[in-house]
Each structure stands twice: as structure tokens, then as C-alpha cells.
Amino acid sequence: MISRRQWLYGVGLVAGSGIQVGRAVSAAAKNEAQAASLQLSKYEPRSMLQVHESHVERSKFPNIDFHTHISGSTKSENGVELAPDREFLGAPQELLAVMDRRNIRAWST
């Protein structure tokens, strides 16, 4: 007959050896992962985000545009303006019509 003390000793030995085997397996897995590292150019993550998408035709409150660029320099290089002359994206009536459709208001001080 086996005593409780002997039984616990045996269970402890089995559990301790299992931990050592687990550590060896995880160390081997780490070495394999480092050897076969994934190049950034081959990384293609898949999105796991799944959310409900809704489209609102017109916002309840207007969006206030306090900083906009409706014109640009006629001549620029690498984002640096080289001429004081301006070209506009559209006529004021066209731009105001777009702003009205999108419920955008201009900030005035």
C-alpha cells in the first residue's frame, strides 16, 4: 500500500518533470521562430474588427471648418510656394454649395 506522503512525492515529481519538458519545448519553439522570422514586406494582417457601419446623409449639427485651404499657389515645388499668385479650387458659389450639402459652416472671428 502506498502512503499519502509517497503519493504526493510521486505527483510532485511528475508535475516537476512536466514543467521542465514544457520549458524545453517553448525554448525550441522560440529558436524556430527566430530562425524563420517573418519579413515585414510579407506581413499581411487580417482585420478582426467587425462593427456596424452607418451612413448619415446630413449631420444634426454643422461641422465648423476653422482652417481650410480653398486656394493654392500657382507655382510651388516640394510644398513650398514660389509665386504669390493664387489659383482657387472653384468659384465661391460652387464651394458654398458643397459646404451647404455637407453641412459645413465657416468659422468667423
Side-chain angles (χ1 to χ4, degrees), residues 7 34-35 49 62 83 90 104-105:
W7 183 83
Q34 288 173 351
L49 179 65
I104 299 173
R105 301 292 175 258

Side-chain angles (χ1 to χ4, degrees), residues 54-105:
S54 62
H55 296 279
V56 178
E57 292 297 322
R58 187 172 174 86
S59 62
K60 185 174 182 179
F61 300 102
N63 176 27
I64 298 174
D65 186 2
F66 61 90
H67 182 99
T68 188
H69 295 269
I70 58 173
S71 68
S73 178
T74 56
K75 186 176 179 186
S76 65
E77 188 175 311
N78 295 327
V80 178
E81 296 179 357
L82 300 175
D85 299 328
R86 311 298 289 170
E87 61 182 353
F88 293 90
L89 299 176
Q93 273 57 33
E94 294 171 351
L95 298 175
L96 288 172
V98 171
M99 289 175 68
D100 287 339
R101 280 197 310 271
R102 299 291 182 194
N103 202 14
I104 299 173
R105 301 292 175 258

